[in-house]
Amino acid sequence: MIDAPITRLLRYARPFRRNILLASTCSVLNKLFDLAPPFIIGAAVDVVVEKQDSIVAQVGISDPFMQLVFLGVLTAIIWSFESIFEWLFGVLWRHLAQSIQHEARMDVFNHVQSLDLTWFEDRSTGGLLAVLSDDVNQLERFLDGGANDIIQLTVTAITVITAFFLISPDLAWLAMIPVPVVIVGSLWFQKRLEPHYDAMRGKVGDLNAQLANSLGGMATVKSFTAESSELERLRTESDGYAERNRRAIILSAAFSPLIRVVIMCGFMVTLLYGGWLALEGELAVGAFALLVFLTQRLLWPFTRVGAILDLYQRAMASTRRIFELFDVKPTILDGTVDLPIEAVEGAVRFDDVHFAYDPKAPVLDGLELDCPAGLTTAIVGSTGAGKSTIIKMLLRFYDVDSVRSGPVLIDGCDLRTLSVRQVRRAISLVSQDVYLFDGTIRENIAYGWPGPDDECSHWETPSDETLFEASRLAEAHDFIRALPNGYDTIVGERGQKLSGGQRQRIAMARAVLKSAPIMVLDEATASVDNETEAAIQRSLRTICEGRTTIVIAHRLSTVRHAHCINVLDSGRVVERGTHDQLLAMDGVYANLWRVQTGEPVGH
């Protein structure tokens, strides 16, 4: 059985229980001092009516005026303490809200990073941003104000009801009739509001997803002059969100007026029946004045139940979405075998590997592939042959089919038995789809620097000379130095301020700086011109010397000097050998070579 969102939220907030207790105590004390003035007013009325026989006279003050002076001093003290505790609970609840908001965002993001690549492929970035930003902020808004309101409303109810039953039990039973009506009505409204807010939070995710999709593809939008089409898509999503919100607003807005009618009945009972008791001499005038004020102090705050309930339901809908993310468990599990990076030789083997994204369409079908340590192994083949899938499996973005597949091995160890972090630290990847972070070129290249401690969240940056050397090997140093700001040039989101070839060379420098024992180049020179490709190829001979290198390429000229070239077709290696050996076979590779070099195709 899944716990209610509030239960899970309270469990999550256990590390903050001391702060919660302190903030709650200040809220309680503030409300107790806030409720004291009606008692002062009742006592003042009693002094005016009863004079020397008033309740204040019982503390030893016989003069009526001095009794009023005493009540005045007491009022100043009460109001001072009320103000102090109001300031304290405001500061404490806000700090608590900020702390829990921060921890929740960090924990959710950390958990999301641990999830499988498959999970990300089925989710929109906008939907995840809605949880990490909007839902977490909604939780912060509730803790900042709603939690205090609930505590103070509860304190008010307990204090006033107790005072009523102590002063006049007969009147109390009648005056308190609205309270259970309000409570039952609140629970009913809560049930009705819950699905509306759940649907509304879902619509926020859809809206953010559409925004992220449109903004991320702005170049495509503009090239197809599709601005009006994108605007209509956004309008559809925004209208859907507005409609969901409208339904919730109509329901929640109806709550307060209905509660006011119920509260009016309670107030009238106190005014009429209490007044009759006072006229008959069965209730002191001061006590009657006190009860009238207390009735208002109890019942009018209940008019805010609608707003509190609205805030609570929004927060619980957001909390549910946050914990739904926590409930997603990664399927790529860490192994227990330790493989320190300095001990990795880099021999990679795919031993009868089977894999499919869709069970009906296998991608790797009994793949046998050897990548000896310290040598360069190339993989070529037509689109859809399974080349990129090999890289994803080597990095453990996916695992082999567990039933009939053999393992993927590094130095004879099944990847599934190794630490995922250690496996990925042992591999430098340069892919065709280069991702640069919004920042400087220096920061993007230094991203590959492992630092002194893999587990440390703050690591040392590489020296300039180390960074420059990596750039030189990637044929990036000269063009970077030619830029107006050199290595401090801002690349823009996804590196959009740079050309494709420049981005590729920066990604190459980042991988070189990582200095992993296994280098993987997935179409790494696809976006550079022939001259730059030739320069990078020369550098790679130095970079890859003594290092296991796996090269995936469409351009066969890129891999002709590899120690072994594997030709992939339908998830299997159909040809294997050096460039010259494969040409001599006059098979698939030879045919591809002739196509790319413009020679007549004989088959």
Side-chain angles (χ1 to χ4, degrees):
M1 183 178 177
I2 299 177
D3 292 334
I6 186 63
T7 304
R8 300 190 70 177
L9 178 59
L10 290 173
R11 191 182 301 130
Y12 178 80
R14 279 177 184 169
F16 301 94
R17 53 184 175 272
R18 181 178 177 276
N19 304 59
I20 293 173
L21 180 61
L22 191 58
S24 300
T25 301
C26 289
S27 293
V28 170
L29 291 174
N30 168 260
K31 182 48 63 176
L32 289 176
F33 281 110
D34 180 55
L35 289 172
F39 289 88
I40 299 292
I41 294 172
V45 172
D46 191 57
V47 168
V48 172
V49 174
E50 302 294 339
K51 297 182 174 60
Q52 288 84 357
D53 297 324
S54 71
I55 193 170
V56 179
Q58 296 179 15
V59 300
I61 304 175
S62 56
D63 182 67
F65 180 74
M66 292 308 297
Q67 292 177 22
L68 293 175
V69 171
F70 170 77
L71 291 176
V73 173
L74 192 59
T75 298
I77 294 172
I78 289 171
W79 280 43
S80 297
F81 276 105
E82 180 195 353
S83 300
I84 290 171
F85 285 113
E86 182 177 3
W87 174 74
L88 285 174
F89 85 64
V91 170
L92 291 170
W93 278 115
R94 286 173 187 172
H95 283 174
L96 180 65
Q98 290 294 324
S99 298
I100 293 180
Q101 175 200 44
H102 171 76
E103 289 301 317
R105 183 175 287 113
M106 293 300 101
D107 288 345
V108 171
F109 183 69
N110 186 47
H111 178 73
V112 165
Q113 287 191 115
S114 73
L115 299 179
D116 307 335
L117 193 63
T118 315
W119 185 85
F120 286 95
E121 290 172 348
D122 293 334
R123 301 294 186 285
S124 69
T125 302
L128 289 176
L129 288 175
V131 176
L132 286 164
S133 178
D134 198 57
D135 283 325
V136 173
N137 289 343
Q138 191 68 51
L139 180 60
E140 183 259 343
R141 283 191 285 271
F142 169 69
L143 292 171
D144 191 11
N148 173 71
D149 288 343
I150 291 172
I151 290 171
Q152 293 206 330
L153 187 60
T154 303
V155 172
T156 299
I158 293 172
T159 304
V160 173
I161 291 172
T162 301
F164 257 87
F165 278 99
L166 289 175
I167 295 171
S168 177
D170 291 339
L171 179 59
W173 288 111
L174 292 172
M176 294 303 114
I177 288 176
V179 174
V181 175
V182 170
I183 293 172
V184 172
S186 299
L187 294 175
W188 182 81
F189 265 87
Q190 179 180 334
K191 287 287 186 182
R192 295 292 302 274
L193 281 169
E194 186 174 337
H196 289 284
Y197 282 122
D198 279 342
M200 191 176 71
R201 300 314 308 162
K203 283 295 182 182
V204 170
D206 294 341
L207 181 59
N208 281 1
Q210 180 58 47
L211 281 169
N213 201 35
S214 298
L215 293 173
M218 189 53 67
T220 303
V221 172
K222 287 182 175 296
S223 68
F224 283 91
T225 61
E227 291 90 345
S228 59
S229 176
E230 290 302 310
L231 183 61
E232 284 307 310
R233 288 189 189 187
L234 182 62
R235 192 190 309 280
T236 300
E237 295 296 343
S238 186
D239 285 345
Y241 168 69
E243 178 59 29
R244 288 290 185 181
N245 207 4
R246 193 177 299 116
R247 295 175 188 176
I249 289 171
I250 290 172
L251 192 59
S252 63
F255 181 77
S256 290
L258 293 174
I259 294 301
R260 285 177 181 272
V261 173
V262 175
I263 288 171
M264 178 193 68
C265 297
F267 185 76
M268 289 181 65
V269 166
T270 303
L271 184 66
L272 298 177
Y273 185 58
W276 180 78
L277 291 176
L279 290 172
E280 294 294 317
E282 297 182 24
L283 182 66
V285 175
F288 170 63
L290 170 61
L291 293 181
V292 169
F293 278 111
L294 284 181
T295 303
Q296 185 183 37
R297 296 303 298 271
L298 169 66
L299 297 180
W300 285 117
F302 272 101
T303 60
R304 294 202 65 248
V305 169
I308 296 171
L309 192 62
D310 184 78
L311 191 61
Y312 173 81
Q313 281 300 337
R314 289 175 183 267
M316 290 306 102
S318 293
T319 301
R320 188 177 293 107
R321 282 164 54 84
I322 290 170
F323 282 106
E324 282 174 356
L325 271 184
F326 279 127
D327 289 336
V328 179
K329 303 301 179 186
T331 59
I332 304 294
L333 303 177
D334 244 351
T336 56
V337 177
D338 192 43
L339 184 68
I341 190 169
E342 60 272 11
V344 176
E345 294 181 7
V348 174
R349 174 167 172 73
F350 286 71
D351 187 6
D352 189 29
V353 170
H354 293 261
F355 176 78
Y357 300 101
D358 181 349
K360 297 178 182 178
V363 178
L364 302 181
D365 189 15
L367 176 68
E368 296 282 352
L369 177 65
D370 276 302
C371 305
L375 301 181
T376 298
T377 301
I379 304 169
V380 301
S382 58
T383 301
K387 301 186 298 297
S388 294
T389 300
I390 290 174
I391 305 307
K392 291 178 181 179
M393 302 202 70
L394 179 60
L395 286 161
R396 280 203 79 192
F397 293 159
Y398 297 91
D399 269 340
V400 299
D401 291 341
S402 57
V403 178
R404 62 185 184 129
S405 178
V408 180
L409 307 164
I410 289 184
D411 293 343
C413 298
D414 189 333
L415 290 188
R416 290 169 293 183
T417 67
L418 302 174
S419 160
V420 173
R421 183 179 180 82
Q422 286 183 331
V423 167
R424 293 173 184 167
R425 282 292 303 120
I427 301 170
S428 286
L429 172 67
V430 183
S431 65
Q432 181 179 9
D433 183 21
V434 173
Y435 191 97
L436 298 184
F437 296 91
D438 190 9
T440 65
I441 291 176
R442 182 188 303 275
E443 291 167 344
N444 272 280
I445 296 176
Y447 199 79
W449 183 248
D453 181 5
D454 279 355
E455 301 300 326
C456 184
S457 59
H458 302 284
W459 51 76
E460 298 176 359
T461 56
S463 67
D464 281 351
E465 189 50 46
T466 303
L467 191 133
F468 294 163
E469 181 60 26
S471 298
R472 289 189 189 99
L473 288 172
E475 295 289 331
H477 184 68
D478 290 341
F479 95 77
I480 294 173
R481 292 295 294 269
L483 294 171
N485 294 315
Y487 279 85
D488 294 319
T489 299
I490 300 296
V491 303
E493 190 174 4
R494 297 185 67 93
Q496 63 185 351
K497 293 185 177 181
L498 303 176
S499 70
Q502 289 173 332
R503 291 196 298 268
Q504 198 76 53
R505 282 179 279 174
I506 290 173
M508 184 82 73
R510 182 166 62 189
V512 170
L513 191 65
K514 186 177 180 181
S515 191
I518 301 172
M519 174 79 76
V520 176
L521 307 172
D522 185 6
E523 298 288 353
T525 59
S527 299
V528 300
D529 55 51
N530 291 333
E531 184 180 348
T532 304
E533 181 189 7
I536 290 176
Q537 289 296 329
R538 290 193 299 271
S539 298
L540 284 174
R541 294 193 188 105
T542 303
I543 296 167
C544 300
E545 187 174 350
R547 175 182 288 155
T548 305
T549 306
I550 301 173
V551 182
I552 291 178
H554 279 296
R555 290 185 190 176
L556 300 186
S557 59
T558 305
V559 301
R560 63 181 301 177
H561 298 296
H563 294 96
C564 182
I565 301 171
N566 295 266
V567 183
L568 219 63
D569 185 35
S570 300
R572 290 172 177 266
V573 174
V574 294
E575 292 177 6
R576 179 183 289 115
T578 64
H579 173 74
D580 292 334
Q581 289 170 341
L582 291 172
L583 287 181
M585 290 180 190
D586 199 26
V588 177
Y589 181 86
N591 199 40
L592 288 172
W593 178 260
R594 283 191 286 268
V595 169
Q596 292 192 15
T597 57
E599 295 179 18
V601 180
H603 298 280

